[in-house]
Amino acid sequence: MRLSRYFMPTLKENPVEAQIVSHRLMLRAGMIRQSSAGIYIWLPLGLRVLQKIENIIREEQDRAGAQELLMPTLQPAELWKDSGRYDAYGPEMLRITDRHERVLVYGPTAEEVINDIVRNELKSYKEAPKILYNIQWKFRDEVRPRFGVMRGREFLMKDAYSFDLTYEGAKHSYNKMFVAYLRTFARCGVHAIPMKASTGPIGGDLSHEFIVLADTGEEQVYCDKRYLTMEIPDENIDYDSDLEPLYQKWTSLYAATEEKYDEAEAKAVGDNLLSARGIEVGQVFYYGKKYSSSMNVAVAGEDGKPVLFEGGCYGIGVSRVMGAIIEASHDDNGIIWPESVAPFKVGLINLTAGKEETDKACEDLYAKLQKAGVEVLYDDRDERAGVKFSTMDLIGLPYQLIVGSRGLKNGVVEIKNRKTGERKELSPDEAINLLAK
Ligand code: ATP
Ligand code: MG
């Protein structure tokens, strides 16, 4: 992409409405604009990151054996009456009446819709278990939408739902999702710690919130420091046999949200106890027969009698993850994207756009990098070098490839690592090889 043609409206000044750094930087880098309170337009640069996060989530869900489908944003109110949640959900749920006076809701979550399709289509125990997920926009009419995409009203969520015949089966599905979450967040470049979370009126102790530690987090949390260096399960994990020991390792240390804080347990952690603020980026939740009994979601068991499903739900706030990554990874000059979610890998800076020698060298590098499959944003604008440097630092691409006449005379270009600040002079070919790795 050539920056001269790209729709990336950056801002020099800090927007006054933004209270936290991720919101400020997403506005300044031209990634989002607010459309109405808590509802955003995703501009090209922001959308690229959102889609990268989405794809990492998708790969890990698929790896864990979950199957993707896509449910509508608008759901029939009847289903919510069926589950008993229509009145209970309250004013956070946006309700819409169509021209035939039928009430629809803009889904804040999708337990009702998924349980409806499963009760209609699954007939026999032989078809279980299943884990189904979708990545779809949700709407919650939050009283106080704030912090940009962190607490929006419209936001992108991955929500998965498991259907098992037994408690043991449901626990197994829960564990698979648990490990998938560890891998997902690690691949997104953030450290998310699974913390015991409250299950609300449903009860039970099988729920974890995945929390990224950040000063601006809305939750007070307590955890064992050793979580910060715990090893992440690799992609070769056998979800069916190796899971228990890994799961146990990851749940053996103390980590809890405020509602689940336990003084005795916290004391036992001793010097390793960390009290911090955190951002909830995901939650896994076992809810048993809550929906299968209220909505009658059953299949015929081996003996022909109906078996109600044991269920769980598993959410990730895809758009919130982006905010959390920025909260965890930035400096005074801007964002520092982890490579896995960066909108482009390289920013190519032409220090003297319009000058034949640098133009030619840049065009050549630009073409070769693209050919090598490297995502590159080429700053070909007629701007001062200082402006180009600060733009690149602001949008936080992992590498800057800087091309100037002086270097070219010596046959070199410069690579700057955004995160470490380290600079290296290399020949153009060496630079391409390094970046294509
Ligand atoms: P919170 O406690 O922050 O309001 P929640 O517990 O109600 O969130 P869940 O129902 O568990 O949210 O939804 C799954 C995920 O969706 C959350 O872990 C979070 O990452 C994300 N999420 C929830 N509400 C919002 C929101 N208003 N804006 C952005 N992401 C959200
Ligand atoms: Mg939650």
Side-chain angles (χ1 to χ4, degrees):
M1 179 56 65
R2 290 169 196 274
L3 195 44
S4 61
R5 299 194 193 148
Y6 201 37
F7 183 40
M8 192 183 87
T10 53
L11 305 172
K12 277 202 197 71
E13 305 296 329
N14 274 328
V16 286
E17 72 270 26
Q19 298 165 31
I20 64 171
V21 69
S22 58
H23 189 193
R24 278 200 291 276
L25 289 174
M26 285 177 79
L27 288 169
R28 285 194 51 207
M31 301 177 72
I32 53 165
R33 286 293 181 269
Q34 183 173 292
S35 174
S36 59
I39 302 178
Y40 290 88
I41 299 162
W42 292 81
L43 300 178
L45 191 76
L47 185 61
R48 284 180 79 95
V49 180
L50 192 68
Q51 288 172 337
K52 296 225 164 145
I53 297 171
E54 201 180 310
N55 280 332
I56 291 174
I57 294 172
R58 180 174 285 120
E59 281 175 22
E60 294 302 328
Q61 291 289 297
D62 292 348
R63 196 196 303 283
Q67 299 173 43
E68 185 171 12
L69 46 64
L70 185 58
M71 292 181 271
T73 50
L74 294 181
Q75 309 175 355
E78 285 73 37
L79 286 182
W80 287 74
K81 290 180 180 154
D82 228 13
S83 72
R85 289 209 294 178
Y86 187 71
D87 294 321
Y89 214 93
E92 264 193 22
M93 189 154 74
L94 182 64
R95 298 154 212 245
I96 301 159
T97 308
D98 72 11
R99 60 165 72 186
H100 305 294
E101 296 294 310
R102 278 189 283 258
V103 182
L104 297 163
V105 310
Y106 193 132
T109 173
E111 281 82 3
E112 279 73 5
V113 175
I114 198 80
N115 274 283
D116 186 51
I117 185 83
V118 165
R119 79 177 158 185
N120 291 337
E121 305 304 332
L122 292 189
K123 309 285 182 218
S124 155
Y125 70 94
K126 289 180 192 155
E127 295 168 274
K130 289 263 181 301
I131 305 178
L132 304 169
Y133 75 98
N134 79 164
I135 300 175
Q136 177 63 292
W137 294 91
K138 302 290 187 290
F139 193 91
R140 294 182 185 177
D141 205 353
E142 303 269 355
V143 198
R144 241 166 37 89
R146 59 189 180 279
F147 305 152
V149 300
M150 272 315 183
R151 183 166 299 284
R153 292 199 297 166
E154 186 186 53
F155 59 96
L156 190 59
M157 193 201 284
K158 184 286 296 180
D159 39 323
Y161 305 88
S162 62
F163 296 87
D164 280 273
L165 299 172
T166 61
Y167 171 76
E168 289 67 37
K171 177 110 199 283
H172 189 63
S173 295
Y174 183 96
N175 293 352
K176 283 187 180 183
M177 285 294 118
F178 189 101
V179 174
Y181 276 34
L182 291 176
R183 289 189 44 75
T184 299
F185 295 122
R187 284 187 59 195
C188 289
V190 287
H191 213 97
I193 302 171
M195 309 212 178
K196 275 191 208 162
S198 94
T199 47
I202 304 161
D205 63 352
L206 218 48
S207 179
H208 288 86
E209 279 176 15
F210 286 75
I211 305 267
V212 173
L213 302 183
D215 293 339
T216 50
E218 292 187 276
E219 296 209 49
Q220 174 61 40
V221 294
Y222 303 88
C223 73
D224 193 314
K225 266 185 209 147
R226 283 173 290 178
Y227 265 122
L228 296 171
T229 50
M230 195 107 106
E231 185 196 337
I232 304 289
D234 76 13
E235 63 199 29
N236 299 317
I237 176 182
D238 175 350
Y239 282 102
D240 289 308
S241 62
D242 288 341
L243 196 62
E244 284 304 319
L246 251 170
Y247 175 73
Q248 255 139 42
K249 191 172 163 199
W250 271 93
T251 51
S252 62
L253 301 181
Y254 181 71
T257 59
E258 192 161 32
E259 299 102 31
K260 280 287 191 176
Y261 176 74
D262 180 299
E263 199 167 325
E265 280 186 295
K267 259 207 179 115
V269 179
D271 286 348
N272 278 325
L273 187 72
L274 196 68
S275 155
R277 306 295 296 177
I279 301 165
E280 175 195 334
V281 286
Q283 183 164 18
V284 290
F285 200 106
Y286 160 74
Y287 55 60
K289 297 197 170 77
K290 178 177 156 84
Y291 296 94
S292 62
S293 55
S294 61
M295 294 179 69
N296 194 26
V297 192
V299 286
E302 252 176 292
D303 55 4
K305 288 191 190 132
V307 183
L308 290 176
F309 278 115
E310 287 274 348
C313 62
Y314 315 92
I316 294 181
V318 186
S319 41
R320 185 185 282 182
V321 168
M322 195 187 310
I325 294 170
I326 298 173
E327 290 295 323
S329 183
H330 66 269
D331 63 15
D332 289 346
N333 299 327
I335 303 168
I336 302 173
W337 289 115
E339 221 172 293
S340 58
V341 298
F344 298 90
K345 182 173 179 179
V346 188
L348 175 60
I349 300 178
N350 184 345
L351 287 181
T352 49
K355 223 175 171 185
E356 201 186 327
E357 55 200 358
T358 51
D359 282 1
K360 195 165 159 287
C362 283
E363 289 297 335
D364 194 47
L365 281 163
Y366 183 53
K368 285 181 176 158
L369 283 168
Q370 282 182 310
K371 207 167 164 211
V374 180
E375 292 174 313
V376 49
L377 180 63
Y378 172 23
D379 193 345
D380 58 340
R381 295 174 303 168
D382 181 16
E383 286 280 2
R384 284 182 296 113
V387 171
K388 295 190 175 186
F389 288 138
S390 57
T391 302
M392 280 302 171
D393 278 355
L394 173 65
I395 68 171
L397 309 183
Y399 299 97
Q400 295 170 14
L401 185 54
I402 303 156
V403 180
S405 332
R406 206 178 317 144
L408 287 179
K409 279 199 190 97
N410 302 322
V412 295
V413 292
E414 192 177 28
I415 290 188
K416 176 181 151 187
N417 180 315
R418 173 68 180 88
K419 187 172 174 185
T420 60
E422 190 197 341
R423 291 161 181 276
K424 238 190 236 163
E425 289 197 330
L426 297 169
S427 75
D429 283 340
E430 284 170 332
I432 292 165
N433 286 339
L434 189 84
L435 293 168
K437 257 210 292 232

